[in-house]
Amino acid sequence: VTHKEYEMPKDSLYFPICVGNGIKNLACKYQPDNQGNNISQKNFSYCELTAIYWAWKNMKAEKDDYIGVSHYRRYFTLNSKAKSLNEVLTDKELKNIVAHLKPNTILATPARKYATSIKKHYIYSLKGYENIHLKDIERLQQAIHECSPKYDKYAEEVLNGKSAHMLNMFIMRWDNFDAYCAWLFRIIDLVVEKSKDREDQGRYAGALSEFCLDIWARANNMEIKELSLFETEKSSFLMKVYQYIRRKL
């Protein structure tokens, strides 16, 4: 998924989809997410979800095919010390992996770990947004309860836990992907419906959706197997400290 022109892996595993403002200049080069059955106009809030929705509604696959999501600067890799796009996951490597997977397995990037709960990390991640983010979490839980109350306890577990598989990056069988998307977009659409009074409509739906993979996986007895993450623009430790302080101030 990309919103700008970027160097892409050459392996046949990858199919670039452009979203948001990038469509204007990239539609002739990458697959735009505003064709066919789409929610492209929601990209400002939904982020990479508009590309995921496009793939769900417009790509054809057998139930035991695998589909996944990576970003223009974040990729799966088998090499934890990867330094270039030449080392990202390939079609051949993925086929070797899935040949030995159980049908209920999801491939994801390593879980991100936090000093506090996922809920508190989100609420206090940006100074001045504490009340807005608190309402986001409350509305996410309300939406889950209204759509699938049996998921309530799993939402509590994930949101009160200190680690989660973030970034909306995953690889799973198509039948699982179909079931996940059917649940996910119902939840996120309801959150957005409840959030018409939100002062800032930017990116929050996409951010909240990052908590949903673990919730859905736990509720449906899915196993998560982690693959390494390669970032082409990985921030240095000092930059991460600077960005953290900036958000808090």
Side-chain angles (χ1 to χ4, degrees), residues 72-167:
Y72 67 96
R73 61 190 179 91
R74 294 187 178 116
Y75 297 92
F76 291 102
T77 179
L78 300 186
N79 180 5
S80 61
K81 298 181 180 180
K83 295 182 179 180
S84 76
L85 283 177
N86 294 327
E87 299 173 274
V88 300
L89 186 69
T90 66
D91 183 64
K92 181 178 180 180
E93 290 172 338
L94 181 58
K95 286 178 178 176
N96 288 335
I97 292 170
V98 301
H100 301 93
L101 291 183
K102 298 177 182 177
N104 69 329
T105 304
I106 298 171
L107 300 176
T109 56
R112 288 195 169 184
K113 298 176 174 60
Y114 301 94
T116 186
S117 68
I118 295 295
K119 180 190 299 185
K120 288 183 178 179
H121 174 78
Y122 178 78
I123 292 172
Y124 297 106
S125 61
L126 185 61
K127 187 172 179 61
Y129 273 67
E130 293 87 351
N131 290 334
I132 296 174
H133 284 176
L134 174 59
K135 287 183 179 179
D136 287 345
I137 292 294
E138 290 174 345
R139 287 166 175 168
L140 175 62
Q141 291 188 275
Q142 289 168 5
I144 290 173
H145 179 72
E146 291 178 27
C147 293
S148 46
K150 73 171 186 177
Y151 286 59
D152 287 352
K153 68 175 183 178
Y154 303 106
E156 282 287 339
E157 289 175 2
V158 171
L159 293 173
N160 288 308
K162 293 185 177 182
S163 67
H165 297 89
M166 310 289 278
L167 305 178

Side-chain angles (χ1 to χ4, degrees), residues 3 15 28 38 52-53 57 62 70 74 97 103 124 138 141 146 148 157 162 165 168 191 200 211 213 221-222 236 249:
H3 66 280
F15 181 73
C28 61
N38 72 86
I52 293 173
Y53 185 93
K57 293 297 185 179
E62 300 296 328
S70 61
R74 294 187 178 116
I97 292 170
Y124 297 106
E138 290 174 345
Q141 291 188 275
E146 291 178 27
S148 46
E157 289 175 2
K162 293 185 177 182
H165 297 89
N168 276 327
V191 171
D200 180 355
F211 310 138
L213 182 64
N221 297 313
M222 305 294 290
S236 67
L249 298 178

Side-chain angles (χ1 to χ4, degrees), residues 39-87:
I39 56 170
S40 181
Q41 74 282 1
K42 297 181 179 182
N43 182 259
F44 182 63
S45 294
Y46 281 56
C47 306
E48 63 272 0
L49 291 185
T50 61
I52 293 173
Y53 185 93
W54 186 91
W56 178 39
K57 293 297 185 179
N58 296 284
M59 297 182 76
K60 298 184 182 298
E62 300 296 328
K63 69 177 184 178
D64 57 350
D65 285 341
Y66 279 76
I67 184 167
V69 184
S70 61
H71 305 281
Y72 67 96
R73 61 190 179 91
R74 294 187 178 116
Y75 297 92
F76 291 102
T77 179
L78 300 186
N79 180 5
S80 61
K81 298 181 180 180
K83 295 182 179 180
S84 76
L85 283 177
N86 294 327
E87 299 173 274

